[in-house]
Amino acid sequence: MSGFDAVQLSYDEPLADSLHTRLSRVLGDTVKRLHGVRGMRRAYRLAAELAETDQFFLADGDFAIDHAFPAAEVEPLADGVSMRVWRAVNPVNGLTYGYGGLKLIRTSALREMGQAVDVLAALPGRVEFSEHTAGATLFNQTPFHAWKAGFRECAMLARGSEYGMTDTSAQERIMAWTTSKDGDFAHYAAAGARDGCDFAHSAARNPERFEALNDPTWLQRHFTALHGEQAIAG
């Protein structure tokens, strides 16, 4: 038992059901679930409405929590901290950082968040990044999901991290994404990363266009236009 509520936020991830069961076993509580909500800001705000504690764990629908994660030992967020992010292992490029990781988030912060393409970067207060790894992000379940992960992450890194990451660190991560070669559908993640960089270079100064990163329908159309025939052919 952790003392914190937990919510899995899923959309269309094929393994979301089994990963939800895994979360419940590890966290020791019934993990609530919000599924299929369109609009990322709306989904996060609705997740906050599900939580009955002032702070709660938030996991993506493709996050596989480590069975040894010490949930009962997790300390509450300090004053002024809106979110803590644990690292996640990336299955295609060898990186381990906050992307796709488990979060402990202040419920009130989600209700007060501002505007950012990376929605959680707009929370009021500080973000705390844990040096510990909480699991793995299994985004590479289909060609599209692998491509989408690379596309969104590298578009945001190429535009400039909204978490204050240095340009050098951002470029190192882009390089790792664009050369992804491990795990299922790694070449789609690499292609998505390259496509995301191209998109950032053309759309970074157009906020309305850049917001397409949060539109699942547009992302699916863009993937199909660029790689649809290859994906179907395998």
Side-chain angles (χ1 to χ4, degrees), residues 13-42:
E13 302 86 353
L15 295 179
D17 289 350
S18 62
L19 295 178
H20 177 264
T21 300
R22 179 169 172 160
L23 274 172
S24 297
R25 289 174 178 165
V26 173
L27 297 180
D29 295 311
T30 299
V31 176
K32 298 171 183 179
R33 184 174 179 188
L34 186 66
H35 179 74
V37 174
R38 290 184 61 84
M40 296 186 73
R41 291 181 187 83
R42 179 169 175 258

Side-chain angles (χ1 to χ4, degrees), residues 135-157:
T137 173
L138 305 183
F139 57 80
N140 59 325
Q141 298 171 36
T142 71
F144 170 64
H145 287 88
W147 176 89
K148 180 177 70 171
F151 184 86
R152 295 188 72 254
E153 177 69 349
C154 287
M156 287 187 279
L157 288 172

Side-chain angles (χ1 to χ4, degrees), residues 24 36 40 88-89 104 115 123 154 161 183 214 220:
S24 297
M40 296 186 73
V89 176
L104 181 67
Q115 295 290 318
L123 294 172
C154 287
S161 170
N214 292 331
Q220 181 73 65

Side-chain angles (χ1 to χ4, degrees), residues 102-113:
L102 183 68
K103 301 163 185 70
L104 181 67
I105 193 162
R106 197 176 297 277
T107 309
S108 60
L110 279 177
R111 297 175 179 141
E112 300 166 6
M113 64 183 171

Side-chain angles (χ1 to χ4, degrees), residues 21-226:
T21 300
R22 179 169 172 160
L23 274 172
S24 297
R25 289 174 178 165
V26 173
L27 297 180
D29 295 311
T30 299
V31 176
K32 298 171 183 179
R33 184 174 179 188
L34 186 66
H35 179 74
V37 174
R38 290 184 61 84
M40 296 186 73
R41 291 181 187 83
R42 179 169 175 258
Y44 282 123
R45 289 194 173 105
L46 288 173
E49 297 305 315
L50 286 179
E52 297 179 25
T53 52
D54 292 340
Q55 301 172 24
F56 70 99
F57 288 115
L58 183 65
D60 295 334
D62 51 17
F63 175 71
I65 194 168
D66 189 323
H67 290 294
F69 179 74
E73 301 173 12
V74 172
E75 295 290 333
L77 300 173
D79 290 346
V81 176
S82 59
M83 178 173 67
R84 181 184 304 139
V85 183
W86 283 269
R87 294 181 172 190
V89 176
N90 189 303
V92 301
N93 57 34
L95 294 175
T96 299
Y97 68 112
Y99 177 80
L102 183 68
K103 301 163 185 70
L104 181 67
I105 193 162
R106 197 176 297 277
T107 309
S108 60
L110 279 177
R111 297 175 179 141
E112 300 166 6
M113 64 183 171
Q115 295 290 318
V117 175
D118 187 339
V119 178
L120 294 181
L123 294 172
R126 293 187 293 111
V127 176
E128 179 179 283
F129 292 94
S130 174
E131 292 300 311
H132 299 288
T133 300
T137 173
L138 305 183
F139 57 80
N140 59 325
Q141 298 171 36
T142 71
F144 170 64
H145 287 88
W147 176 89
K148 180 177 70 171
F151 184 86
R152 295 188 72 254
E153 177 69 349
C154 287
M156 287 187 279
L157 288 172
R159 185 196 193 199
S161 170
E162 293 172 311
Y163 290 101
M165 186 188 306
T166 66
D167 290 343
T168 299
S169 293
Q171 287 302 315
E172 289 173 352
R173 291 180 182 178
I174 288 172
M175 177 62 69
W177 275 97
T178 56
T179 56
S180 296
K181 59 185 178 182
D182 301 316
D184 293 339
F185 309 118
H187 64 288
Y188 283 102
R194 293 189 293 269
D195 295 339
C197 290
D198 291 343
F199 177 75
H201 294 151
S202 65
R205 297 185 180 182
N206 185 335
E208 185 174 343
R209 187 180 173 208
F210 202 72
E211 186 66 32
L213 288 178
N214 292 331
D215 183 343
T217 301
W218 183 89
L219 288 166
Q220 181 73 65
R221 285 201 310 264
H222 197 51
F223 169 73
T224 301
L226 295 175

